[in-house]
PDB file of all heavy atoms in Angstrom:
ATOM      1  N   ILE A 150     113.414 105.240 100.828  1.00 92.00           N
ATOM      2  CA  ILE A 150     112.973 106.564 101.282  1.00 92.00           C
ATOM      3  C   ILE A 150     112.136 106.445 102.549  1.00 92.00           C
ATOM      4  O   ILE A 150     112.310 107.230 103.492  1.00 92.00           O
ATOM      5  CB  ILE A 150     112.208 107.300 100.161  1.00 92.00           C
ATOM      6  CG1 ILE A 150     113.174 107.669  99.029  1.00 92.00           C
ATOM      7  CG2 ILE A 150     111.505 108.550 100.702  1.00 92.00           C
ATOM      8  CD1 ILE A 150     112.517 108.217  97.772  1.00 92.00           C
ATOM      9  N   VAL A 151     111.244 105.482 102.616  1.00 91.00           N
ATOM     10  CA  VAL A 151     110.439 105.289 103.827  1.00 91.00           C
ATOM     11  C   VAL A 151     111.353 104.959 105.002  1.00 91.00           C
ATOM     12  O   VAL A 151     111.179 105.503 106.106  1.00 91.00           O
ATOM     13  CB  VAL A 151     109.357 104.204 103.622  1.00 91.00           C
ATOM     14  CG1 VAL A 151     108.663 103.866 104.937  1.00 91.00           C
ATOM     15  CG2 VAL A 151     108.328 104.670 102.593  1.00 91.00           C
ATOM     16  N   GLN A 152     112.343 104.100 104.801  1.00 89.00           N
ATOM     17  CA  GLN A 152     113.292 103.775 105.870  1.00 89.00           C
ATOM     18  C   GLN A 152     114.060 105.020 106.302  1.00 89.00           C
ATOM     19  O   GLN A 152     114.278 105.232 107.491  1.00 89.00           O
ATOM     20  CB  GLN A 152     114.278 102.698 105.397  1.00 89.00           C
ATOM     21  CG  GLN A 152     113.651 101.361 105.083  1.00 89.00           C
ATOM     22  CD  GLN A 152     112.958 100.737 106.277  1.00 89.00           C
ATOM     23  OE1 GLN A 152     113.560 100.570 107.325  1.00 89.00           O
ATOM     24  NE2 GLN A 152     111.701 100.419 106.107  1.00 89.00           N
ATOM     25  N   ASP A 153     114.465 105.846 105.352  1.00 92.00           N
ATOM     26  CA  ASP A 153     115.196 107.077 105.652  1.00 92.00           C
ATOM     27  C   ASP A 153     114.333 108.055 106.464  1.00 92.00           C
ATOM     28  O   ASP A 153     114.863 108.903 107.165  1.00 92.00           O
ATOM     29  CB  ASP A 153     115.671 107.734 104.351  1.00 92.00           C
ATOM     30  CG  ASP A 153     116.580 108.919 104.589  1.00 92.00           C
ATOM     31  OD1 ASP A 153     117.567 108.769 105.333  1.00 92.00           O
ATOM     32  OD2 ASP A 153     116.291 110.007 104.043  1.00 92.00           O
ATOM     33  N   HIS A 154     113.026 107.923 106.374  1.00 94.00           N
ATOM     34  CA  HIS A 154     112.094 108.766 107.130  1.00 94.00           C
ATOM     35  C   HIS A 154     111.633 108.074 108.417  1.00 94.00           C
ATOM     36  O   HIS A 154     110.650 108.493 109.017  1.00 94.00           O
ATOM     37  CB  HIS A 154     110.886 109.127 106.256  1.00 94.00           C
ATOM     38  CG  HIS A 154     111.186 110.187 105.240  1.00 94.00           C
ATOM     39  ND1 HIS A 154     111.916 109.929 104.093  1.00 94.00           N
ATOM     40  CD2 HIS A 154     110.879 111.501 105.203  1.00 94.00           C
ATOM     41  CE1 HIS A 154     112.025 111.047 103.402  1.00 94.00           C
ATOM     42  NE2 HIS A 154     111.412 112.014 104.044  1.00 94.00           N
ATOM     43  N   ASP A 155     112.328 107.009 108.822  1.00 90.00           N
ATOM     44  CA  ASP A 155     112.003 106.234 110.038  1.00 90.00           C
ATOM     45  C   ASP A 155     110.590 105.675 109.992  1.00 90.00           C
ATOM     46  O   ASP A 155     109.937 105.525 111.024  1.00 90.00           O
ATOM     47  CB  ASP A 155     112.205 107.078 111.308  1.00 90.00           C
ATOM     48  CG  ASP A 155     113.641 107.543 111.461  1.00 90.00           C
ATOM     49  OD1 ASP A 155     114.550 106.746 111.189  1.00 90.00           O
ATOM     50  OD2 ASP A 155     113.840 108.719 111.837  1.00 90.00           O
ATOM     51  N   GLY A 156     110.128 105.372 108.792  1.00 91.00           N
ATOM     52  CA  GLY A 156     108.763 104.870 108.611  1.00 91.00           C
ATOM     53  C   GLY A 156     108.715 103.377 108.373  1.00 91.00           C
ATOM     54  O   GLY A 156     109.729 102.672 108.443  1.00 91.00           O
ATOM     55  N   TYR A 157     107.504 102.917 108.076  1.00 89.00           N
ATOM     56  CA  TYR A 157     107.235 101.497 107.862  1.00 89.00           C
ATOM     57  C   TYR A 157     106.355 101.334 106.629  1.00 89.00           C
ATOM     58  O   TYR A 157     105.564 102.204 106.301  1.00 89.00           O
ATOM     59  CB  TYR A 157     106.500 100.893 109.063  1.00 89.00           C
ATOM     60  CG  TYR A 157     107.240 101.051 110.351  1.00 89.00           C
ATOM     61  CD1 TYR A 157     106.991 102.133 111.197  1.00 89.00           C
ATOM     62  CD2 TYR A 157     108.191 100.116 110.740  1.00 89.00           C
ATOM     63  CE1 TYR A 157     107.668 102.271 112.388  1.00 89.00           C
ATOM     64  CE2 TYR A 157     108.872 100.247 111.933  1.00 89.00           C
ATOM     65  CZ  TYR A 157     108.615 101.332 112.754  1.00 89.00           C
ATOM     66  OH  TYR A 157     109.296 101.470 113.926  1.00 89.00           O
ATOM     67  N   VAL A 158     106.476 100.169 106.005  1.00 89.00           N
ATOM     68  CA  VAL A 158     105.676  99.846 104.830  1.00 89.00           C
ATOM     69  C   VAL A 158     104.847  98.614 105.131  1.00 89.00           C
ATOM     70  O   VAL A 158     105.343  97.646 105.690  1.00 89.00           O
ATOM     71  CB  VAL A 158     106.575  99.546 103.606  1.00 89.00           C
ATOM     72  CG1 VAL A 158     105.727  99.158 102.398  1.00 89.00           C
ATOM     73  CG2 VAL A 158     107.467 100.727 103.276  1.00 89.00           C
ATOM     74  N   ASP A 159     103.572  98.655 104.751  1.00 88.00           N
ATOM     75  CA  ASP A 159     102.738  97.467 104.804  1.00 88.00           C
ATOM     76  C   ASP A 159     102.111  97.286 103.429  1.00 88.00           C
ATOM     77  O   ASP A 159     101.684  98.257 102.799  1.00 88.00           O
ATOM     78  CB  ASP A 159     101.640  97.597 105.861  1.00 88.00           C
ATOM     79  CG  ASP A 159     100.833  96.315 105.969  1.00 88.00           C
ATOM     80  OD1 ASP A 159     101.421  95.228 105.821  1.00 88.00           O
ATOM     81  OD2 ASP A 159      99.609  96.406 106.161  1.00 88.00           O
ATOM     82  N   VAL A 160     102.089  96.056 102.956  1.00 89.00           N
ATOM     83  CA  VAL A 160     101.512  95.736 101.651  1.00 89.00           C
ATOM     84  C   VAL A 160     100.521  94.608 101.840  1.00 89.00           C
ATOM     85  O   VAL A 160     100.824  93.608 102.480  1.00 89.00           O
ATOM     86  CB  VAL A 160     102.590  95.269 100.651  1.00 89.00           C
ATOM     87  CG1 VAL A 160     101.974  95.036  99.279  1.00 89.00           C
ATOM     88  CG2 VAL A 160     103.734  96.248 100.565  1.00 89.00           C
ATOM     89  N   SER A 161      99.339  94.785 101.292  1.00 90.00           N
ATOM     90  CA  SER A 161      98.382  93.681 101.254  1.00 90.00           C
ATOM     91  C   SER A 161      97.868  93.572  99.826  1.00 90.00           C
ATOM     92  O   SER A 161      97.657  94.575  99.150  1.00 90.00           O
ATOM     93  CB  SER A 161      97.234  93.900 102.243  1.00 90.00           C
ATOM     94  OG  SER A 161      96.598  95.122 101.994  1.00 90.00           O
ATOM     95  N   SER A 162      97.715  92.342  99.370  1.00 91.00           N
ATOM     96  CA  SER A 162      97.321  92.143  97.988  1.00 91.00           C
ATOM     97  C   SER A 162      96.526  90.855  97.848  1.00 91.00           C
ATOM     98  O   SER A 162      96.788  89.865  98.534  1.00 91.00           O
ATOM     99  CB  SER A 162      98.573  92.087  97.107  1.00 91.00           C
ATOM    100  OG  SER A 162      98.227  92.084  95.746  1.00 91.00           O
TER     101      SER A 162
END
Side-chain angles (χ1 to χ4, degrees):
I150 291 171
V151 172
Q152 296 299 306
D153 187 52
H154 284 75
D155 299 319
Y157 303 94
V158 178
D159 184 36
V160 184
S161 56
S162 188

